[in-house]
Amino acid sequence: MPGIRTGQALRAFAHALPKVELHVHLVGSASLPTVLELARRRPAAGVPTDERELAEFFTFRDFAHFLTVYLAVTSLVRDRHDVHTLVTGLAADLAAQNCRYAEVTVTPYNHLLDGMPGDDLLAGLATGRARAAELGVELAWCFDIPGEKGIRAGQETLVFALRERPEGLVSFGLGGPELGVGRARFEPYFTRAREAGLHSVPHAGETTGPATIWSALHDLGAERIGHGTSCASDPALLEHLAAHRIPLEVCPTSNVRTGQVPDLAAHPVRRMLDHGVVVTLNTDDPPMFGATLTGEYVAVAGTLGLTAAELARLAENAVEASFLDEQRKAVLRNEITEMTLPRTTDFA
Ligand code: ADE
Ligand code: ZN
């Protein structure tokens, strides 16, 4: 079957696919107009208030530079209204792309450090989530540890997650830099989070090698891996991920924009697929990287020359890898299958 390279047909198909997003950070999902509005309200934060300057601000020299920028934007988010604005903005963006469900990473420790009361964060998440449901997008939360802030952040994130346990909280994560921030340090917090029923979804292998992914699996009981880019250099790891069906939350444009891979053609996603790894496509921090979920599907399909059926398989992977219940998975699975059958022959 030929690939669906032809631009318009590919775009239309990727748009129409019912999609699931498994790796998107709430702060990183703020649209450019939203960031500008927040920045104008709080000029002392050092985030540009001009559109052109903001685009430059979002041009990253490397991963460390990206994180500095990310934390500056985080500091703009001060109260429940800001949180509500971010959640509803993300939901509207997802709805417009036919994305039905998203697991959204929130980093409570950063907001608490910036002086936001925990109740404000929770209220903004709850009202935003209710509005998202009205827009046809179901949201779930991942509370993650900002790894650069050490074990104190691990402890505080765990306590906040288990004490508050907001509706929709499904998982526990670990973000930030990997270099010098060993996954194993956070083992006690992941163990307790998992005992309490939260799923384990740490970042690993985004900015360091496969040893970090092994550690995420062994020390943190990772059920999915955030990024996992560097697994491609370790045949035993590729085999392990495939055999145990541990999905990767692959974020191709993010990896290009933070300098982890030179371009999409050099991204190891092809190697992952060839080894039978469960690949899901995600955006990470979409406006910061100039990414959209539909765009990730289009870019990967175009670069790899995927068929419509192969592209639909990636959407199915995201459904299967999600923490939705079986009934809701079945609904999405059927929708994908129904639209795939006739469309596949269109591209033949
Ligand atoms: N926080 C926001 N985006 C991130 C990324 N790509 N990696 C680690 N932490 C993050
Ligand atoms: Zn991430």
Side-chain angles (χ1 to χ4, degrees), residues 4-16 294 298 302 311 343 347:
I4 47 171
R5 282 177 193 277
T6 47
Q8 228 176 354
L10 169 54
R11 263 208 163 270
F13 184 71
H15 172 80
T294 300
V298 170
L311 194 54
R343 296 302 292 252
F347 293 117

Side-chain angles (χ1 to χ4, degrees), residues 25 63 66 70 175-176 203 206 227 284-285:
H25 297 261
F63 187 78
F66 159 71
Y70 184 87
H203 286 65
E206 177 188 18
H227 295 272
D284 212 6
D285 304 289

